[in-house]
Amino acid sequence: MDYKSSLIQDGNPMENLEKQLICPICLEMFTKPVVILPCQHNLCRKCANDIFQAANPYWTSRGSSVSMSGGRFRCPTCRHEVIMDRHGVYGLQRNLLVENIIDIYKQECSSRPLQKGSHPMCKEHEDEKINIYCLTCEVPTCSMCKVFGIHKACEVAPLQSVFQGQKTELNNCISMLVAGNDRVQTIITQLEDSRRVTKENSHQVKEELSQKFDTLYAILDEKKSELLQRITQEQEEKLSFIEALIQQYQEQLDKSTKLVETAIQSLDEPGGATFLLTAKQLIKSIVEASKGCQLGKTEQGFENMDFFTLDLEHIADALRAIDFGTDEEEEEFIEEEDQEEEESTEGKEEGKKFIYLHSFVPSLIPQQPEVPTVCEALC
């Protein structure tokens, strides 16, 4: 029992050591020379060169006369990016300690007797080792299965040759997978950069769009205030004119009322002499008052403010048609809008001047009525 226990204790450290000496690329024990990466992981130089060439297919070899800068690849264990100089993997430092440990391990293994369970045995023939490979069934088997067993009619090959072929194929697949992972990582990095730039560009155009619309709002508010001010000015001018006419007519009414009262009192005068003394002057005052009754007045439609009406339908259509486009389209659209606005403004200004002069100016000129006769004035 003590002897078997010591064998188990002696075997476990060697098995653990063997696991530490396995290359992550070829899955075999490191083949000298062994190189150490900056991340402190080890690789066979051949395996390191395979993944380096796969990740940098256009890198020139050491025998080429053309000098070229180094490439890069990722450690298959920790994915750390290894940047190479112009020497490639030959510029990596050899791990002499690992190489010495491998030599000692191989010497120790060669000095140990081969245990029965260290080589896989055939399930059909328990005493036969698996030493050939059935190419037809694509499974490893033993010589007895080929001579007397189920693989009698199958094509077989030496196990070592198939082993080396599949090992090489697996190495190539690993190299292609590692190179593919590097390319995928590169694409992911590019997509992340594209995502960041897309967010930045979107934020920028949003800010620019908001500024342009804020400018439009400011222009509309300014134009609104300007047009309201013009309407208010026109309103004040017309109201001032009407108030002046009301005051004139009110003064004339008060004066006429007093003359009427005086004339009535004169008619009540019993004495003819007294009446005649004041009648002539009173009649003259009434005639002059009747002449003054013809003051200025407003024409029909004087209070109309329709000439301040705006036709904004084309501007509303233009606002609804706002959309993203090229700079050339925007410039053409702006030029067309400016031209239409100039033509519309000129037409409205001329129409307004004509309406204003026609409706307002004549009302400021007092009418010249015919002078009534004495009888008409008295009536």
Side-chain angles (χ1 to χ4, degrees):
M1 293 294 294
D2 295 336
Y3 175 74
K4 292 182 179 180
S5 176
S6 63
L7 287 178
I8 295 174
Q9 292 177 358
D10 291 342
N12 286 337
M14 295 300 292
E15 291 177 0
N16 294 332
L17 178 60
E18 182 179 1
K19 293 179 181 179
Q20 299 299 321
L21 298 177
I22 298 298
C23 174
I25 300 299
C26 62
L27 303 179
E28 294 291 334
M29 188 173 293
F30 289 117
T31 302
K32 296 190 294 185
V34 180
V35 293
I36 182 169
L37 304 180
C39 57
Q40 302 304 310
H41 290 114
N42 299 290
L43 293 176
C44 307
R45 179 185 287 174
K46 179 181 181 302
C47 296
N49 188 60
D50 290 341
I51 63 173
F52 176 72
Q53 293 291 343
N56 303 270
Y58 299 106
W59 188 80
T60 56
S61 62
R62 295 207 311 169
S64 175
S65 59
V66 180
S67 62
M68 187 176 181
S69 60
R72 59 185 66 193
F73 68 96
R74 293 186 180 274
C75 172
T77 302
C78 65
R79 308 301 300 162
H80 176 76
E81 188 177 40
V82 181
I83 301 175
M84 311 298 298
D85 58 13
R86 60 187 181 87
H87 298 291
V89 297
Y90 294 93
L92 294 173
Q93 183 179 0
R94 290 180 61 178
N95 194 336
L96 299 178
L97 177 60
V98 173
E99 293 180 3
N100 293 334
I101 293 174
I102 292 173
D103 293 338
I104 295 173
Y105 176 82
K106 288 182 178 180
Q107 291 175 4
E108 181 68 20
C109 289
S110 63
S111 64
R112 286 176 176 270
L114 182 62
Q115 299 179 7
K116 183 177 180 181
S118 62
H119 195 286
M121 310 300 287
C122 179
K123 294 182 180 180
E124 297 293 333
H125 309 90
E126 296 181 358
D127 294 332
E128 294 293 329
K129 296 180 181 179
I130 295 177
N131 55 3
I132 60 174
Y133 187 85
C134 179
L135 299 177
T136 305
C137 301
E138 296 184 347
V139 292
T141 184
C142 69
S143 302
M144 296 298 292
C145 289
K146 169 60 180 172
V147 178
F148 304 105
I150 59 176
H151 301 288
K152 183 177 181 180
C154 298
E155 182 182 359
V156 297
L159 189 66
Q160 189 65 25
S161 62
V162 178
F163 163 71
Q164 292 295 335
Q166 291 195 359
K167 183 178 178 181
T168 303
E169 183 179 358
L170 182 59
N171 285 333
N172 294 334
C173 292
I174 293 173
S175 299
M176 288 189 298
L177 184 59
V178 171
N181 291 341
D182 289 339
R183 286 192 291 269
V184 170
Q185 184 63 42
T186 301
I187 293 173
I188 291 174
T189 303
Q190 293 174 351
L191 291 176
E192 290 175 347
D193 293 340
S194 179
R195 178 179 61 185
R196 176 183 55 80
V197 174
T198 300
K199 288 182 179 180
E200 293 176 355
N201 291 340
S202 299
H203 179 72
Q204 180 180 356
V205 295
K206 284 181 180 179
E207 290 292 332
E208 294 176 354
L209 182 64
S210 298
Q211 292 177 0
K212 290 181 179 180
F213 271 88
D214 290 340
T215 303
L216 286 179
Y217 299 151
I219 293 173
L220 289 174
D221 289 339
E222 181 181 358
K223 197 64 178 178
K224 177 183 176 182
S225 300
E226 177 187 346
L227 296 179
L228 289 176
Q229 180 63 30
R230 288 170 59 183
I231 295 175
T232 302
Q233 182 179 358
E234 182 70 14
Q235 173 188 344
E236 292 176 352
E237 291 178 358
K238 288 190 174 185
L239 293 178
S240 298
F241 179 73
I242 293 173
E243 292 291 340
L245 288 181
I246 291 174
Q247 183 177 0
Q248 294 177 10
Y249 277 102
Q250 186 64 44
E251 293 175 356
Q252 183 63 33
L253 179 61
D254 294 341
K255 184 177 180 181
S256 298
T257 301
K258 290 181 180 180
L259 285 175
V260 170
E261 292 176 356
T262 303
I264 292 173
Q265 293 175 0
S266 179
L267 290 175
D268 294 337
E269 188 67 38
T274 304
F275 174 78
L276 292 176
L277 288 174
T278 59
K280 185 175 182 180
Q281 183 62 33
L282 186 59
I283 292 172
K284 184 178 180 181
S285 298
I286 292 174
V287 171
E288 291 179 355
S290 63
K291 292 179 180 180
C293 289
Q294 302 300 324
L295 300 175
K297 63 180 181 178
T298 59
E299 291 186 352
Q300 183 178 2
F302 175 79
E303 65 278 2
N304 193 355
M305 304 289 281
D306 292 342
F307 52 86
F308 285 109
T309 303
L310 294 178
D311 182 12
L312 301 178
E313 187 63 28
H314 65 290
I315 297 179
D317 293 339
L319 292 175
R320 295 189 192 98
I322 291 178
D323 201 353
F324 299 106
T326 60
D327 295 338
E328 295 179 357
E329 293 177 354
E330 292 181 357
E331 291 177 358
E332 293 177 358
F333 178 78
I334 293 174
E335 291 178 358
E336 293 177 358
E337 288 296 318
D338 292 342
Q339 185 176 0
E340 292 178 359
E341 184 177 356
E342 290 178 359
E343 293 176 356
S344 176
T345 304
E346 291 177 358
K348 288 182 179 180
E349 289 294 335
E350 292 178 357
K352 180 181 175 182
K353 290 179 180 178
F354 175 77
I355 294 173
Y356 183 82
L357 292 175
H358 180 71
S359 61
F360 182 71
V361 176
S363 64
L364 297 177
I365 304 175
Q367 300 294 324
Q368 298 295 332
E370 296 180 357
V371 179
T373 62
V374 175
C375 294
E376 290 173 345
L378 291 175
C379 293

